[in-house]
Amino acid sequence: MARFPGTGEIGGDADALLARLGIPADRLKGARAAVTPLTGETIARITEMDAPAVQDAIGRAHAAFLQWRMVPAPRRGELVRLFGEELRAAKSDLAALVTLEAGKITSEGLGEVQEMIDICDFATGLSRQLHGLTIATERPDHRMMETWHPMGVVGVISAFNFPVAVWAWNAALALVCGNSVVWKPSEKTPLTALAVDAIFTRAAARFGGVPEGLSTLVLGGRAAGEALVDDARVPVVSATGSTAMGRHVGPRVAQRFGRSILELGGNNAAIVCPSADLDLTLRAVAFAAMGTAGQRCTTLRRLMVHESIYDALLPRLKSAYASVSVGDPRAEGTLVGPLIDAGAFEAMQVALEAARAAGGIVTGGERLGAEFALDAYYVRPALVEMPAQTDSVAAETFAPILYVLRYSDLADAIRLNNEVPQGLASAIFTTDLREAERFLSAAGSDCGIANVNIGPSGAEIGGAFGGEKETGGGREAGSDSWKAYMRRATNTINYGSSLPLAQGVTFDVG
Ligand code: NAD
């Protein structure tokens, strides 16, 4: 039996959590309400910053960078290691706040904080591996090498649905690379950002001698983000959020020749082939499509099922959708928590209406628990059998809707996979080696993440996360993503007494 929280039930829990996480009391007052999606009620108040205050923070971050860049990289890694330790100590409280503020179920809140810890471990090791190449030179008695240097202030703009991990993916790398960081979190999740800031402050105090302004938090909406985007003292802007946001941020940063790392929308698909292990597929699809109430950039939104197994898979999927437990994300057994707000619910209903109008058969999608919490939006995830990939299927609706399509030929399924503008993550379920390899080949999935027998979500820190197309082309976290936070210098050293010029050039002044 699902449980829904009632209005007035959360306030005490929130106050105790905010105090345990060490958020200074003076940061918890102001004109702006911080709201929980569990009930829709205000759980704290905060003060947002205007553009001059953001510019001031950037000035302090720039001054901090000038000192921090000269600290040896492994020593910078030590600060990030200490931050990872503080995160371990605060893990359950921070995860509980993620649940309260973003609506994630308890295990997903814990998983998000674990990702922060993982990137700290990764970045600590990386701080001893910021390698450049030594390159064979054509000149006698010369040596040529490349050196990686920090960029300066890294601006981080983050989305509500990963309120703490996205900043950590960026900040852990940026800091070991020698940069300072200014963070503008989503206006929907200021409290988790304040908590992370307090945790970082504890790590900095243990480290000792961290320049003031090395990691700064600026709370606010779009205007605060724009102040970061337009400031020439911010050479790198890493922005995670909707494609609409990326369309503003990308060109504005480019106009001043800044560098942007954009992580934008996703409209992710999976193909289920005739040889797929259906038990495994069912579990993977259910988690990828319904987890986080469909509010992950990597949420599975489209499923292409081969006609030979469609009638075997669909009834099982429908019964998983009908029985999934929706409700209070803190309650044991809940798998789907609330949508972030009324706007998300309305966008979901508009998309379902468009699907019906295009001949889709909708199961689920209705609002639940409204009688308990009038300002909260819980929904049963929707499964929509579609006759074709229509415009609304090809758009990202940030809610739990899974569109199911039939296919007969793998080439058609791969074409459908690629035929949306977003293309972030993708998967194929098959035990046929040829099908799997074809999906991963240059002629297969065009996504930044292409998986076999595992859903499209749940990226690992060690890999580089992101995609091409409307996802913005940015890469965060593992692999060689660190290079986006540094600049490369090529150095040539002459240890001889002659001066060979460029190929074929003579220039005799003596
Ligand atoms: P959003 O675009 O509404 O907001 C994201 C952030 O951008 C917020 O901090 C917001 O204040 C800021 N912002 C908005 N307009 C801006 C502007 N013009 N200039 C500067 N800053 C601006 O996104 P959201 O609703 O918080 O998050 C959901 C979206 O994020 C989905 O589309 C999802 O796919 C995407 N997302 C992508 C990834 C990824 O890694 N690819 C990860 C998480 C979320």
Side-chain angles (χ1 to χ4, degrees):
M1 181 61 192
R3 183 186 177 283
F4 295 92
T7 307
E9 196 188 296
I10 309 267
D13 289 1
D15 290 346
L17 258 184
L18 298 174
R20 278 207 302 280
L21 283 159
I23 301 175
D26 64 342
R27 300 207 74 173
L28 290 172
K29 52 187 173 204
R32 172 87 185 191
V35 170
T36 172
L38 273 61
T39 57
E41 69 197 289
T42 297
I43 50 172
R45 305 203 77 82
I46 52 120
T47 301
E48 292 195 327
M49 284 165 112
D50 57 12
V54 175
Q55 285 151 5
D56 184 50
I58 294 169
R60 284 183 287 116
H62 187 258
F65 158 67
L66 297 180
Q67 292 181 48
W68 189 243
R69 65 181 172 176
M70 296 313 291
V71 174
R75 183 85 190 120
R76 302 192 297 241
E78 172 63 6
L79 172 61
V80 173
R81 191 188 70 78
L82 291 172
F83 178 53
E85 279 190 4
E86 293 297 328
L87 281 170
R88 284 177 169 88
K91 182 175 174 180
S92 57
D93 283 340
L94 183 58
L97 191 59
V98 168
T99 294
L100 275 195
E101 199 175 41
K104 294 191 178 192
I105 61 170
T106 299
S107 60
E108 288 173 341
L110 288 166
E112 177 159 359
V113 181
Q114 186 58 46
E115 284 200 20
M116 302 176 80
I117 295 168
D118 292 346
I119 194 72
C120 287
D121 288 355
F122 181 93
T124 303
L126 179 70
S127 70
R128 293 177 184 273
Q129 300 174 76
L130 302 171
H131 299 148
L133 295 172
T134 300
I135 300 159
T137 160
E138 64 197 28
R139 298 179 170 101
D141 298 339
H142 280 60
R143 186 165 69 81
M144 185 160 62
M145 63 181 184
E146 55 181 34
T147 314
W148 291 88
H149 295 300
M151 292 286 291
V153 181
V154 172
V156 179
I157 297 171
S158 57
F160 81 84
N161 68 318
F162 274 97
V164 290
V166 165
W167 172 80
W169 297 339
N170 284 283
L173 296 195
L175 289 170
V176 299
C177 290
N179 306 288
S180 56
V181 180
V182 177
W183 179 17
K184 208 298 286 171
S186 165
E187 52 275 53
K188 295 175 187 174
T189 54
L191 299 177
T192 41
L194 284 166
V196 169
D197 194 50
I199 294 167
F200 184 83
T201 302
R202 291 202 279 281
R206 281 175 64 193
F207 183 84
V210 170
E212 197 268 326
L214 184 68
S215 172
T216 310
L217 177 64
V218 294
L219 296 182
R222 181 177 168 153
E226 284 174 345
L228 209 49
V229 164
D230 290 337
D231 199 309
R233 293 169 299 174
V234 184
V236 181
V237 175
S238 175
T240 300
S242 60
T243 301
M245 177 276 287
R247 279 195 209 291
H248 280 106
V249 168
R252 280 172 83 146
V253 174
Q255 204 169 21
R256 59 173 176 83
F257 296 113
R259 184 186 293 175
S260 52
I261 302 169
L262 297 176
E263 291 279 11
L264 309 175
N267 188 355
N268 317 293
I271 299 171
V272 189
C273 299
S275 68
D277 173 338
L278 288 191
D279 291 338
L280 178 147
T281 303
L282 186 71
R283 287 197 306 276
V285 166
F287 169 73
M290 294 192 278
T292 324
Q295 299 171 115
R296 281 188 218 126
C297 51
T298 52
T299 289
L300 177 61
R301 305 196 183 281
R302 299 175 295 134
L303 191 67
M304 276 72 90
V305 184
H306 191 265
E307 58 190 3
S308 65
I309 49 165
Y310 192 94
D311 293 335
L313 184 64
L314 251 283
R316 294 182 66 188
L317 206 48
K318 276 188 185 167
S319 84
Y321 267 67
S323 63
V324 73
S325 162
V326 182
D328 187 338
R330 302 167 302 170
E332 209 178 324
T334 300
L335 290 176
V336 178
L339 294 177
I340 191 71
D341 56 20
F345 174 72
E346 279 149 23
M348 179 176 181
Q349 299 313 309
V350 167
L352 292 179
E353 212 34 67
R356 281 189 194 97
I361 302 165
V362 178
T363 311
E366 70 278 11
R367 190 169 170 199
L368 302 172
E371 64 277 28
F372 299 97
L374 288 177
D375 290 327
Y377 292 86
Y378 294 85
V379 287
R380 177 153 301 286
L383 194 66
V384 187
E385 294 176 78
M386 289 299 291
Q389 186 155 273
T390 58
D391 287 351
S392 69
V393 176
E396 181 199 41
T397 302
F398 215 54
I401 303 176
L402 179 64
Y403 299 104
V404 190
L405 297 148
R406 260 175 218 268
Y407 81 90
S408 54
D409 179 31
L410 182 59
D412 284 337
I414 293 176
R415 181 180 51 73
L416 288 171
N417 179 77
N418 294 347
E419 226 172 46
V420 296
Q422 305 87 4
L424 173 58
S426 60
I428 191 167
F429 291 90
T430 180
T431 53
D432 180 326
L433 179 72
R434 288 180 178 170
E435 286 178 335
E437 290 290 340
R438 193 164 154 202
F439 183 73
L440 301 182
S441 77
S445 166
D446 65 0
C447 295
I449 297 171
N451 293 340
V452 177
N453 292 332
I454 168 172
S457 53
E460 257 184 64
I461 286 306
F465 181 76
E468 311 304 332
K469 298 164 76 179
E470 281 195 351
T471 47
R475 289 293 189 278
E476 289 170 3
S479 187
D480 64 351
S481 304
W482 61 272
K483 291 182 175 172
Y485 304 84
M486 300 197 90
R487 62 185 175 84
R488 179 195 340 232
T490 302
N491 313 127
T492 307
I493 299 151
N494 179 358
Y495 57 89
S497 54
S498 64
L499 189 63
L501 301 171
Q503 282 280 2
V505 175
T506 51
F507 195 80
D508 195 355
V509 290

